[in-house]
Amino acid sequence: MNVYDEAHSLAKAIKESNEFKEFDKMRKEIESDEELSKMLGELQQLQVALQAAQMQGQQPDADTMSRVQNLSMMLSSKPLAAQFLQAEGAFSVMMNDVFGIIGEAMGMK
């Protein structure tokens, strides 16, 4: 068994999954809407900043939390953004499961 061949097979299976196909379709639709794309990009940057602060044991500042909440509310009211976020979440769950399976097989869990 060649590990690299297996990795390519896994990558192919991921690309053929419904979760990836839906995420990719929604990502392309979002990219065609400049306003939504910008808003989602800002939300993702804020979420990364929040996670970094939490990992360092810091409390997120009120301004950042407020911006995240406001952006989330605005985006959830837009059907295309809500569909994208749902597809992104489903794809993320699948990828986390895959990483978990690999980690478990290596005795890392």
Side-chain angles (χ1 to χ4, degrees), residues 58-83:
Q58 300 171 352
Q59 289 285 17
D61 63 270
D63 180 53
T64 302
M65 291 299 296
S66 177
R67 287 173 55 203
V68 167
Q69 289 174 343
N70 289 339
L71 269 173
S72 295
M73 286 183 3
M74 286 190 321
L75 287 167
S76 66
S77 71
K78 298 180 181 292
L80 183 59
Q83 288 176 316

Side-chain angles (χ1 to χ4, degrees), residues 15-106:
K15 282 186 81 172
E16 292 174 355
S17 71
N18 290 334
E19 292 87 350
F20 176 78
K21 287 178 182 177
E22 184 64 19
F23 169 68
D24 193 46
K25 179 184 117 187
M26 297 308 305
R27 181 178 50 163
K28 288 174 182 169
E29 287 186 40
I30 289 293
E31 287 173 355
S32 69
D33 186 322
E34 190 175 329
E35 178 188 355
L36 278 181
S37 183
K38 184 178 176 181
M39 289 171 66
L40 282 163
E42 183 179 352
L43 178 63
Q44 289 170 338
Q45 287 177 344
L46 289 169
Q47 289 173 330
V48 167
L50 287 176
Q51 288 174 348
Q54 289 173 340
M55 289 175 67
Q56 294 174 359
Q58 300 171 352
Q59 289 285 17
D61 63 270
D63 180 53
T64 302
M65 291 299 296
S66 177
R67 287 173 55 203
V68 167
Q69 289 174 343
N70 289 339
L71 269 173
S72 295
M73 286 183 3
M74 286 190 321
L75 287 167
S76 66
S77 71
K78 298 180 181 292
L80 183 59
Q83 288 176 316
F84 170 79
L85 291 170
Q86 184 176 7
E88 182 183 49
F91 179 64
S92 291
V93 166
M94 181 192 71
M95 292 304 296
N96 283 333
D97 290 346
V98 168
F99 292 136
I101 291 166
I102 292 169
E104 194 173 300
M106 301 294 108

